[in-house]
Amino acid sequence: MPTLMIDDRKITVEPGTTVMQAADRLGIFIPRFCYHPGLSAVGSCRMCMVEVEKIPKLQTACTTPVVEGMVVHTYTEQVMDARRSVLEFLLINHPLDCPICDKAGECYLQDDYMEYARYTPRYKETRWKKRKVHILGPTIVMDEERCVLCSRCVRFLQEVTGKQRLGIFERGARSVLSTFPGQTLTDPYCGNIVDLCPVGALTDRTFRFQQRVWMLRRGESICPYCARGCNIAVDYNERSDVQINDRRVYRFRPRFNPKVNGHWICDRGRYAYRFIDDARRLREPMLREGKRLVPSGWERTLKRVARRIREVLDTFGPEGMGLILLPSVTIGTARRVRKLFVDDLGLTRIATGPSIDPEADEDSILLRRDRFPNRGGLVAAGFPDGDPGAVTEGVLRGWATGKIKLLYVIGDDLPRFFEETSSFSIPSAGGILILQRSMEGPEDDFARMLLPSAMTAETAGSFVNFEGEEQTFSAVLPPLEEALPDEEILGRLSLLLGLKGEEACRHENSVEEEQG
């Protein structure tokens, strides 16, 4: 393997590694516009020029492979002059609109100008005017004057999605990025080109003018909207008041994980951030009084839940109660459910949700047909493997025919969030229906108790994806209003049921510590 020196630091890398990749491993940042580690290197922007000893001209770091004994300098005066020249050329027609640009604060061009240029413009001729607010698709808008023609977006669609929707047209100063005639960006991964754009040329219509990026904090979580379990960054404003600003979370972005999702996420997961502060979120525990569900507080609601469970078990035995645990919950929740309802209460009529919809969309990039994130985690928690659909149908049939007097459902029906056809629906029946979930649904009309639970970004836990990869995540946000994590709800319920198992005792101790 070749060994080289970069800025007087030695590194040995695999054959075929480029100078850019070797520098990144050393933590030496070389500025770039067109280079991205998830795409082919084209060396078109010329911003990554470096000096290599024994080579008379500067070389592009992103396309130059390392060789044994190579000596590279990334910050000589000649290199700095080259970068300043590239920037001066790019800024000839670039508008100076950083104060109103959504990319300000995370823009490569803005950063590089402050690092290298800081000059008074010498260009005296008339600037080229190009289109502003050019709509490329339902979620993507373009400002042609800001584009530096790096072609990252073009290569992403060609190389990752295999769809050639974008191209660079015309020549010289007239060159412009646009869609092919008659085409719009409706592909399920096109949101990634906004992340890839190093300047503010491509922006997200849902994020546009909503927040300045320096007001946002970044948390790390796992996308729960299919069995892939993509790693995501959650950008949120901790000072947002949902009552005033409508939302706390403003976007999901991909977080690099070579084992799971690489550099990308699908648009389905990307725009699911809106569910976190959605108006349909359950915000407080509710009890049915007559025909209405009324807010009742956690203590009163859970006492009612515990009393109804005890009444049914004492009268009809474990056969009188059914439980459906949807694979949208964490492994920790699944284990607590098993401890409480199987080991302590002796339930036998337990199901783990619908089967995988064979007609749901799936592709070879990321999106999985299974819309639930944790079927593997439920198996790891001790629930049976295999097709759960028949068991769930059996529990729902028992509920509809009156054999099951109390049905407790835990977890969200995630396909319903996207208004997809769901095979999971709870029929109306005369028994006691208890729903523990985060969003409203049509079953609320005949539920006796609603227990609002936290969403994935509001709780900690782990999922096992379809490839058996277990991924742990932490809570990014506090639960919305009075919602609680599923494990917290079940811990409180265990106490009220008089179960002094290890988990209940641990929860009791934590409550006592909180109360001082």
Side-chain angles (χ1 to χ4, degrees):
M1 293 194 293
T3 298
L4 70 156
M5 298 288 290
I6 304 178
D7 292 346
D8 299 324
R9 295 171 65 184
K10 182 184 290 187
I11 183 171
T12 301
V13 295
E14 300 80 14
T17 303
T18 64
V19 173
M20 179 78 85
Q21 292 168 332
D24 283 346
R25 291 187 195 178
L26 285 171
I28 298 172
F29 181 76
I30 299 174
R32 75 282 306 259
F33 290 119
C34 67
Y35 172 75
H36 188 279
L39 303 172
S40 61
V42 293
S44 64
C45 75
R46 321 305 285 178
M47 193 63 191
C48 65
M49 302 291 269
V50 294
E51 187 176 332
V52 182
E53 291 189 3
K54 301 181 182 178
I55 298 180
K57 293 184 178 179
L58 298 180
Q59 302 295 307
T60 51
C62 68
T63 58
T64 304
V66 302
V67 295
E68 178 65 30
M70 178 182 273
V71 179
V72 179
H73 303 285
T74 66
Y75 283 90
T76 65
E77 189 54 40
Q78 187 182 8
V79 168
M80 300 291 273
D81 279 346
R83 291 174 186 166
R84 278 193 284 266
S85 297
V86 169
L87 287 170
E88 185 172 15
F89 182 76
L90 291 176
L91 290 166
I92 285 177
N93 292 309
H94 193 93
L96 299 177
D97 60 353
C98 297
I100 61 166
C101 178
D102 270 328
K103 199 71 174 181
E106 55 184 8
C107 173
Y108 288 25
L109 189 60
Q110 186 182 36
D111 293 343
D112 290 340
Y113 174 81
M114 298 304 293
E115 180 73 21
Y116 299 102
R118 293 173 177 270
Y119 62 85
T120 301
R122 295 181 294 171
Y123 192 76
K124 304 299 183 186
E125 288 76 12
T126 303
R127 294 170 182 263
W128 283 97
K129 296 295 183 184
K130 297 181 181 178
R131 287 181 292 183
K132 312 282 284 186
V133 196
H134 178 39
I135 304 298
L136 298 184
T139 57
I140 309 294
V141 62
M142 183 177 184
D143 185 321
E144 292 180 351
E145 292 179 347
R146 294 176 185 163
C147 182
V148 295
L149 302 174
C150 69
S151 79
R152 280 186 177 190
C153 50
V154 176
R155 282 175 284 143
F156 170 79
L157 292 175
Q158 289 176 343
E159 298 170 8
V160 179
T161 70
K163 307 286 180 59
Q164 193 159 352
R165 308 280 192 213
L166 285 172
I168 296 176
F169 302 90
E170 302 292 347
R171 302 183 68 181
R174 292 186 177 86
S175 297
V176 63
L177 173 75
S178 186
T179 53
F180 285 92
Q183 296 198 16
T184 56
L185 294 182
T186 56
D187 302 87
Y189 293 90
C190 63
N192 289 285
I193 66 174
V194 173
D195 303 325
L196 284 169
C197 184
V199 295
L202 296 171
T203 49
D204 189 328
R205 296 174 72 181
T206 67
F207 182 72
R208 195 174 165 86
F209 305 133
Q210 296 298 308
Q211 286 281 300
R212 304 314 310 233
V213 297
W214 52 84
M215 298 172 67
L216 299 176
R217 295 193 63 182
R218 180 181 187 270
E220 297 182 348
S221 189
I222 302 296
C223 176
Y225 297 104
C226 88
R228 174 74 61 177
C230 292
N231 291 215
I232 56 171
V234 180
D235 289 342
Y236 66 100
N237 188 332
E238 62 181 346
R239 296 184 178 180
S240 284
D241 185 336
V242 177
Q243 303 294 337
I244 300 172
N245 300 335
D246 295 333
R247 69 174 74 156
R248 300 167 294 168
V249 178
Y250 285 86
R251 61 182 179 180
F252 284 169
R253 292 181 297 147
R255 190 162 52 86
F256 179 63
N257 185 332
K259 294 181 179 178
V260 179
N261 58 294
H263 297 275
W264 326 115
I265 57 173
C266 69
D267 284 3
R268 177 191 176 87
R270 176 183 298 274
Y271 295 110
Y273 74 89
R274 290 176 285 197
F275 295 131
I276 295 177
D277 298 317
D278 193 282
R280 296 169 292 172
R281 281 288 304 272
L282 297 174
R283 296 161 190 259
E284 52 192 344
M286 304 184 84
L287 285 174
R288 183 164 297 283
E289 293 186 358
K291 295 183 179 180
R292 298 175 56 245
L293 284 166
V294 296
S296 51
W298 277 111
E299 183 176 357
R300 183 179 173 215
T301 305
L302 285 178
K303 281 182 177 177
R304 182 78 63 88
V305 171
R307 187 161 68 244
R308 293 289 182 245
I309 289 175
R310 278 296 178 202
E311 290 173 355
V312 169
L313 293 178
D314 291 345
T315 306
F316 302 99
E319 293 296 311
M321 180 175 170
L323 184 135
I324 297 176
L325 178 68
L326 294 172
S328 57
V329 302
T330 64
I331 296 177
T333 297
R335 287 180 174 145
R336 184 155 291 190
V337 167
R338 182 168 181 79
K339 174 72 170 61
L340 171 60
F341 291 101
V342 179
D343 298 343
D344 294 340
L345 299 181
L347 263 61
T348 56
R349 291 183 166 181
I350 295 180
T352 53
S355 305
I356 298 172
D357 182 0
E359 297 182 358
D361 293 337
E362 182 173 289
D363 59 38
S364 59
I365 304 173
L366 295 175
L367 188 62
R368 301 298 302 175
R369 186 169 287 122
D370 184 2
R371 300 303 196 228
F372 291 94
N374 200 29
R375 289 188 195 273
L378 266 57
V379 175
F383 290 93
D385 197 1
D387 188 352
V391 179
T392 303
E393 287 297 322
V395 171
L396 291 175
R397 198 179 306 116
W399 162 252
T401 57
K403 295 178 180 176
I404 292 177
K405 308 299 181 184
L406 187 152
L407 181 62
Y408 197 136
V409 182
I410 301 173
D412 284 301
D413 179 16
L414 298 179
R416 187 178 289 161
F417 287 11
F418 298 94
E419 299 180 352
E420 291 187 350
T421 301
S422 174
S423 59
F424 179 71
S425 60
I426 304 170
S428 174
I432 301 166
L433 178 62
I434 302 170
L435 300 176
Q436 179 176 321
R437 61 188 184 186
S438 61
M439 295 278 278
E440 295 176 356
E443 298 86 1
D444 296 357
D445 291 339
F446 44 90
R448 297 283 186 89
M449 298 97 171
L450 291 180
L451 310 178
S453 59
M455 300 190 91
T456 302
E458 300 169 334
T459 189
S462 55
F463 292 148
V464 176
N465 77 356
F466 76 104
E467 295 177 309
E469 185 79 18
E470 181 172 347
Q471 301 187 93
T472 302
F473 51 90
S474 302
V476 176
L477 302 159
L480 183 65
E481 298 192 13
E482 293 186 35
L484 290 175
D486 285 314
E487 290 187 62
E488 174 79 12
I489 298 171
L490 296 170
R492 294 188 183 195
L493 182 59
S494 296
L495 282 176
L496 293 169
L497 286 166
L499 301 172
K500 293 294 184 180
E502 179 183 348
E503 294 176 351
C505 289
R506 186 163 59 243
H507 171 70
E508 188 176 38
N509 293 335
S510 66
V511 171
E512 290 175 352
E513 289 175 2
E514 290 177 3
Q515 293 174 344

